[in-house]
């Protein structure tokens, strides 16, 4: 009998108790510290496992913390679990339409500057009804083959430019026929032109970005002519907030606006948005790989700042990365379900497709417009979508294909990190992009358990 | 060593019921057909990065 190579030990605030997690079986347990100390010591000296009382040994074996399997067999087991997850995840599709690459904003930190550099002539085309029709036909064929479609997202450029209403309405009508909700990631500037398209079976969810109080927001998110945008966005939100729609306000944060977070939350309060059940907001550090080194902050630095405004594990709800782990782990604990393992970092590694105005198909929003990374295209002659071999570099980006992940106890939780960011920083799709994942995972699990422990007394 | 407490917080893949790779595959097939196994993280679709 040996200890598992995937045992994780996370301290708690409760004296003498440690959270044990197994990165292969997905077990989460709370245990007396004595047991954890013994398990840690047994990594060097397995014979001391005999000291564990029989009942506990049985629990530890069943939960995967001790095992008769060799390290190689454990690794093989993790591969089987990963393959099973992959099979499930590939059944679920997500579709994004890029109605246009054009955008009326010129945000200072925009990650799509490579698209802007292509010029107006390249950015201006709008997706055609024919491209939308063929995409929907392809989707229907996939659904007939047993796949499911969870959502349709509009992205850009700016997907809700007032001049593009006709094609957006056309996309929404198609989605209604598939009975799939449509959401949009929009700057919110031309929103009132779309008021009649907002509702439960139409545009049911919007993500709008506000980066701070008026002076800060306007210094970062301005029109092509440099005019400020906050006042109009704020008025637009007020005009639709009582409609049947989920409104999510995101703030992209770096060193230049981190100190204005409190003032921004005050603005949400003053506007009365915090009393609305359909209003949600969160913060995200700007992506380091596209950002000037001197301006960037990490998600850990961001959460430390957010702790000035939110207490306990509630703070996790206001940062994307933390919220993603927190929601899945708390759902797991509440439902006594299985661990939130991932077969890949995100939808781009599973069944997410993005169709642009040129009929090119991409996985991830980060790489749209970079034709070299297109994973397929619309075949107008045969009225279908043809996917190419480049899709495999996204689908095959699994932790068992990355040497650096094979020894990592957290790999099934993390999924290997963002594919696009790994490629930007290392030039290699198959390198992990860990950032502070382990620190964040441990902090979230510790924080959630602390609250859970208080609840159960 | 005395009987210290270990308290499970969730369900886990029970490897003791699978002694071969085939048995493990069968067990996993069965598990993945259960609704509760679909608590698989956020599945994403840009929600992790939520770019804008």
């Amino acid at each position: 009998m040996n200890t598992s190579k995937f045992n994780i030990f996370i301290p708690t605030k409760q004296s003498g108790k440690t959270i044990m997690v197994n990165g292969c079986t997905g077990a989460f347990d709370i245990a007396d510290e004595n047991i954890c100390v013994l398990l840690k010591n047994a990594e060097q000296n397995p014979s001391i496992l005999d000291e564990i009382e029989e009942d506990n040994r049985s629990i530890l074996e069943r939960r995967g913390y001790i095992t008769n399997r060799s390290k190689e067999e454990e690794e093989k087991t993790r591969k089987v679990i990963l393959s099973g997850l992959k099979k499930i995840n590939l059944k679920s599709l997500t579709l994004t339409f890029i109605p246009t690459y054009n955008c009326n904003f010129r945000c200072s930190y925009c990650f799509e500057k490579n698209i802007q550099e292509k010029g107006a002539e390249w950015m201006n085309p709008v997706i055609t009804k024919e491209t939308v029709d063929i995409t929907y036909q392809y989707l229907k064929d996939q659904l007939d083959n047993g796949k499911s479609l969870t959502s349709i997202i509009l992205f850009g450029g700016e997907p809700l430019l007032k001049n593009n209403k006709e094609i957006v309405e056309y996309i929404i009508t198609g989605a209604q026929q598939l009975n799939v909700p449509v959401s949009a990631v929009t700057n919110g500037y031309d929103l009132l032109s779309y008021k009649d398209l907002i509702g439960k079976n139409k545009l049911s969810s919007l993500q709008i970005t506000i980066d701070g109080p008026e002076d800060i927001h306007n210094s970062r998110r301005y029109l092509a002519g440099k005019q400020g945008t906050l006042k109009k966005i704020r008025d637009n939100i007020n005009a639709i907030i009582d409609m049947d729609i989920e409104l999510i306000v995101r703030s992209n944060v770096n060193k230049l606006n981190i100190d204005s977070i409190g003032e921004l939350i005050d603005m949400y309060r003053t506007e009365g948005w915090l009393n609305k059940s359909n209003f949600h907001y969160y913060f995200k550090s700007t992506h380091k790989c596209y950002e000037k080194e001197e301006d960037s902050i990490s998600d850990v630095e961001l959460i430390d700042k957010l702790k000035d405004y939110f207490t306990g594990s509630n703070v996790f709800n206001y940062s994307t990365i933390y919220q993603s782990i927190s929601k899945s782990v708390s759902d797991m604990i509440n439902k006594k379900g299985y661990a939130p393992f991932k077969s890949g970092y995100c939808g781009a590694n599973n069944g997410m497709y993005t169709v642009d105005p040129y009929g090119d198909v991409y996985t991830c929003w980060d790489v749209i417009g970079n034709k070299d990374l297109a994973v397929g295209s619309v075949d107008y002659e045969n009225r279908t979508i043809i996917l190419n071999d480049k899709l495999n570099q996204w689908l095959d980006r699994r932790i068992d294909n990355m040497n650096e992940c094979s020894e990592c106890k957290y790999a099934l939780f993390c999924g290997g990190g963002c594919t696009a960011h790994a490629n930007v920083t290392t030039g290699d799709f198959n390198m992990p992009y860990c950032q502070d994942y382990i620190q964040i995972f441990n902090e979230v699990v510790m924080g959630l358990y602390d609250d859970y422990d208080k609840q159960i007394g | 060593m005395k009987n210290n407490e270990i308290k499970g917080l969730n369900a886990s893949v029970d490897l003791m019921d699978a002694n071969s790779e085939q048995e493990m595959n069968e067990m996993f097939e069965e598990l993945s057909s259960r609704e509760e196994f679909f608590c698989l993280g956020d599945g994403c679709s840009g929600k992790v990065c939520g770019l804008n």
Side-chain angles (χ1 to χ4, degrees), chain A residues 191-419:
Chain A
L191 213 47
L192 292 193
S193 303
Y194 287 84
K195 208 172 169 187
D196 60 313
L197 294 183
I198 289 172
K200 197 173 181 185
N201 297 314
K202 298 184 272 186
L203 267 176
S204 60
S205 169
L206 294 176
Q207 180 182 286
I208 299 168
T209 300
I210 296 179
D211 271 358
E214 192 148 12
D215 55 334
I216 300 284
H217 174 93
N218 288 345
S219 70
R220 298 161 64 87
R221 298 184 63 82
Y222 39 82
L223 295 173
K226 301 272 183 191
Q227 302 94 328
T229 57
L230 183 70
K231 187 177 181 310
K232 189 165 180 189
I233 295 169
R234 199 168 49 198
D235 291 347
N236 290 349
I237 291 177
N238 280 323
I240 65 162
I241 198 158
D242 290 320
M243 297 179 74
D244 192 3
I245 188 160
E246 290 296 308
L247 272 175
I248 301 141
V249 172
R250 170 186 173 113
S251 302
N252 295 315
V253 182
N254 60 6
K255 281 189 184 145
L256 305 176
N257 65 340
I258 191 167
D259 291 328
S260 65
I261 286 175
E263 214 179 317
L264 181 60
I265 298 170
D266 285 344
M267 184 188 95
Y268 297 158
R269 189 173 294 111
T270 305
E271 294 294 329
W273 298 344
L274 299 186
N275 301 323
K276 308 284 183 182
S277 61
N278 61 332
F279 178 82
H280 317 276
Y281 66 102
Y282 74 95
F283 303 86
K284 173 74 185 80
S285 61
T286 50
H287 297 303
K288 273 196 161 183
C289 59
Y290 305 120
E291 178 69 288
K292 287 182 204 159
E293 180 73 33
E294 66 268 25
D295 290 343
S296 70
I297 58 163
S298 68
D299 288 304
V300 173
E301 288 171 291
L302 176 58
I303 205 86
D304 282 344
K305 185 69 182 177
L306 291 176
K307 285 172 188 167
D308 291 347
Y309 309 103
F310 307 101
T311 55
S313 63
N314 185 37
V315 71
F316 303 143
N317 295 323
Y318 296 91
S319 161
T320 350
I321 305 292
Y322 285 82
Q323 198 260 356
S324 165
I325 302 171
S326 169
K327 184 178 182 315
S328 54
V329 171
S330 55
D331 278 356
M332 174 199 77
I333 293 174
N334 291 334
K335 295 176 186 168
K336 293 275 182 250
Y338 290 91
F341 281 156
K342 290 178 169 183
S343 64
Y345 176 69
C346 79
N349 304 117
N350 293 310
M352 178 172 159
Y353 299 101
T354 303
V355 181
D356 80 355
Y358 292 95
D360 289 322
V361 179
Y362 299 89
T363 51
C364 166
W365 300 349
D366 257 43
V367 302
I368 53 173
N370 184 348
K371 213 174 170 67
D372 289 341
L373 296 178
V375 299
S377 59
V378 173
D379 178 344
Y380 292 96
E381 196 177 331
N382 296 304
R383 299 188 66 78
T384 187
I385 285 176
I386 306 288
L387 298 171
N388 64 38
D389 291 347
K390 287 179 184 165
L391 179 61
N392 295 334
Q393 66 192 1
W394 297 85
L395 298 187
D396 291 345
R397 188 176 190 274
R398 300 164 32 143
I399 57 162
D400 55 347
N401 290 335
M402 295 189 274
N403 290 337
E404 291 78 359
C405 296
S406 65
E407 294 300 314
C408 177
K409 301 167 180 182
Y410 294 78
L412 267 179
F413 294 106
C414 152
C418 174
T419 312

Side-chain angles (χ1 to χ4, degrees), chain A residues 17 25-26 28-30 32 51 56 62-63 69 84 87-88 209 250 287 320 324 337-338 345-347 366, chain B residues 1 3-5 7-14 18 21 25 28-29 31-32 38 42 44 48-52:
Chain A
K17 297 285 184 189
T25 65
F28 282 66
D29 292 86
I30 183 81
D32 285 352
E51 295 173 23
N56 278 347
R62 197 160 277 284
R63 302 285 277 171
R69 289 182 161 83
K87 216 155 63 178
I88 298 167
T209 300
R250 170 186 173 113
H287 297 303
T320 350
S324 165
Y338 290 91
Y345 176 69
C346 79
D366 257 43
Chain B
M1 188 180 180
N3 192 3
N4 289 289
E5 190 185 16
K7 188 177 164 202
L9 296 174
N10 72 334
S12 63
V13 179
D14 191 338
E21 194 170 337
N25 277 319
F28 202 80
E29 277 292 318
L31 272 179
S32 59
F38 282 83
D42 51 31
C44 192
V48 173
C49 48
L51 295 165
N52 188 6

